[in-house]
Amino acid sequence: MKKIILILCLLLAGCGREKSPVQPEPVSASVSVLYDQEKTMLLPMNTSVLLTMYDPQQLDQAMPDFEALIHQLHQLFDPDHGFTSINNLYVINQHYGSEDKLLLDPLLFDALKDAIALSVLSEGSFNPTIGALSDLYQNKYSSLPIHAEDPADEDINAALACVVPYDQLDAIIQLNETDHSVIFNTYSPCEQKVKLNLGAFAKGIAAQKAYEALKHLNVPFMAACSESSQFLYAPIEINKTWTWGIREPNAKTLLAAYEQSDIAALSTSGDDQQYYYCEKHQINHHHILDPTLGRSRNMIRSVSVFSDNRADILDALTTILFNIEDAKQRITLINQIETIYEIKIGYTVVTGSQEDGYQLTMNQTAKDALAYQGDAVNAIIVED
């Protein structure tokens, strides 16, 4: 589960600038828990999902549809729990290697199609068949400093053998556009089972779909799937500026702040919220796994991206960028995604430490939106 190193002033009084000198206080409501077919209680999208508005009455009116949407998306994207009469990720995983054709909800079909495309584009830095590998680490991470041992090398290698190479995903996850069906074929190198898991990409989809469902209300709102996947909307005529910031890892000190008008989709991945300390390697291992390596990489501390649309793509992108070391390669990939999805992306990478100082590497789009930079922070601009 992706957690945040993003500090958001979003919707707080005084954070946004509107034409009116008087700004009401924001109000928020959280999506309630849901239950699977075995009556197991589950957090929606495995996190806290909030809708925030300025008018309590508007919030009350919007919440039933918002909650129904989030529950629907959780049910579709849950890889570990079944729900009555729904062919979700869990059902697909249960039918691995069976050659059964499963008819899918268009939302899930499109999510799998996009996941495969992003895996190919990133040459495997994002991969929807990472489920078996993710499960190896599932109970090791904590938001508090803890010590744990890495999984055994043989277990990591066995799980890696079940991560389908990006150029073979189409053959294993066989999608049919005509009837929105899937056949989850056998991948012979895997001696266990290939398992689908969309991870934080699903949270980005939820933020995006919330925006699409609520923008007709024509009022400012924030839809947040945890603090890592958010969509902020305000009608153009309000002339609202959203402000958010990037904080120091493991602390609350603000390193930089950005501004964007009217609409902002945000996503952040960081190494300081879900991790464990491995004494054998004397290093913190965080929860953002490299599907090609079987472990997390420790090159950077956080990645934050923003645009005016496609929160779903941004959420997958932060995972991808976390696994790319070269800044120019990151920019090349961002440029490709901007072209394909017709969006403009601002991105910032945090490296370094409190002891040695922090460095922000950002592209020109992020630089243009920069409203504040900490005095002790070194910023490097990478050309788009």
Side-chain angles (χ1 to χ4, degrees):
M1 176 173 58
K2 252 198 254 187
K3 301 291 281 188
I4 189 80
I5 42 179
L6 197 63
I7 298 177
L8 295 170
C9 294
L10 322 167
L11 288 166
L12 297 178
C15 235
R17 296 198 300 270
E18 298 185 6
K19 291 179 179 179
S20 171
V22 179
Q23 180 169 296
E25 291 291 330
V27 286
S28 299
S30 59
V31 174
S32 64
V33 298
L34 68 161
Y35 297 85
D36 69 3
Q37 61 191 12
E38 304 298 329
K39 306 302 180 184
T40 303
M41 186 172 67
L42 305 168
L43 281 175
M45 309 306 294
N46 299 316
T47 188
S48 174
V49 181
L50 296 175
L51 179 61
T52 304
M53 292 181 169
Y54 285 107
D55 187 323
Q57 185 174 359
Q58 290 173 340
L59 180 64
D60 288 342
Q61 293 173 348
M63 271 306 293
D65 289 342
F66 178 69
E67 182 167 276
L69 172 64
I70 298 301
H71 282 182
Q72 177 194 12
L73 294 172
H74 178 110
Q75 290 170 357
L76 289 173
F77 300 143
D78 193 322
D80 298 308
H81 302 89
F83 300 87
T84 304
S85 303
I86 297 176
N87 286 339
N88 67 349
L89 278 188
Y90 171 78
V91 172
I92 298 173
N93 286 331
Q94 294 299 109
H95 285 259
Y96 168 72
S98 69
E99 299 185 0
D100 292 337
K101 176 186 281 192
L102 300 174
L103 300 180
L104 303 181
D105 184 289
L107 287 171
L108 179 53
F109 184 90
D110 289 344
L112 289 174
K113 182 179 175 181
D114 283 339
I116 292 172
L118 288 165
S119 187
V120 172
L121 189 61
S122 67
E123 297 184 351
S125 290
F126 172 84
N127 196 309
T129 62
I130 199 174
L133 185 63
S134 296
D135 287 350
L136 274 185
Y137 291 89
Q138 185 174 16
N139 297 319
K140 294 183 177 292
Y141 303 122
S142 173
S143 58
L144 300 174
I146 62 168
H147 290 222
E149 293 301 319
D150 287 344
D153 288 344
E154 55 267 29
D155 292 334
I156 293 176
N157 291 334
L160 275 174
C162 296
V163 177
V164 180
Y166 68 88
D167 57 356
Q168 299 181 47
L169 285 172
D170 275 332
I172 303 304
I173 308 170
Q174 188 178 332
L175 298 173
N176 187 319
E177 290 272 8
T178 303
D179 58 3
H180 284 168
S181 66
V182 64
I183 299 174
F184 196 10
N185 293 316
T186 301
Y187 176 57
S188 57
C190 176
E191 296 182 358
Q192 302 169 1
K193 284 187 176 181
V194 177
K195 182 180 179 181
L196 297 176
N197 188 336
L198 296 180
F201 180 45
K203 295 182 180 65
I205 296 173
Q208 178 67 28
K209 294 303 178 184
Y211 157 68
E212 294 172 5
L214 296 173
K215 64 180 179 179
H216 75 279
L217 298 175
N218 208 40
V219 297
F221 66 82
M222 175 182 73
C225 295
S226 78
E227 292 180 338
S228 64
S229 306
Q230 308 196 352
F231 211 115
L232 319 171
Y233 171 79
I236 294 176
E237 58 268 21
I238 290 180
N239 190 30
K240 185 171 186 60
T241 297
W242 301 106
T243 305
W244 66 92
I246 297 174
R247 68 166 171 81
E248 178 184 343
N250 302 110
K252 300 298 182 183
T253 305
L254 190 65
L255 298 179
Y258 299 88
E259 292 182 345
Q260 184 159 324
S261 299
D262 304 322
I263 303 173
L266 313 172
S267 179
T268 290
S269 290
D271 71 353
D272 69 330
Q273 291 294 317
Q274 293 291 319
Y275 64 96
Y276 66 90
Y277 180 76
C278 176
E279 292 193 12
K280 179 180 179 181
H281 298 117
Q282 297 186 346
I283 194 171
N284 285 335
H285 287 309
H286 56 80
H287 68 295
I288 305 165
L289 298 174
D290 185 334
T292 67
L293 185 66
R295 305 176 189 274
S296 62
R297 291 185 179 270
N298 290 71
M299 302 171 293
I300 57 181
R301 305 302 307 274
S302 76
V303 178
S304 300
V305 296
F306 65 90
S307 186
D308 62 358
N309 206 350
R310 298 310 301 257
D312 50 344
I313 303 303
L314 297 185
D315 226 321
L317 179 58
T318 55
T319 298
I320 294 168
L321 296 177
F322 222 92
N323 292 322
I324 298 177
E325 183 172 6
D326 183 74
K328 291 184 178 180
Q329 289 181 10
R330 296 188 200 117
I331 291 296
T332 297
L333 179 64
I334 288 172
N335 290 341
Q336 290 176 310
I337 288 179
E338 287 179 329
T339 300
I340 293 170
Y341 296 99
E342 299 181 342
I343 54 177
K344 192 68 176 175
I345 298 170
Y347 106 101
T348 302
V349 169
V350 178
T351 54
S353 65
Q354 189 174 36
E355 295 77 15
D356 300 328
Y358 290 103
Q359 179 173 289
L360 304 185
T361 302
M362 65 186 76
N363 64 355
Q364 189 61 48
T365 302
K367 174 64 176 177
D368 291 343
L370 188 65
Y372 165 81
Q373 179 182 321
D375 293 336
V377 176
N378 178 33
I380 296 177
I381 311 304
V382 180
E383 293 183 4
D384 292 347

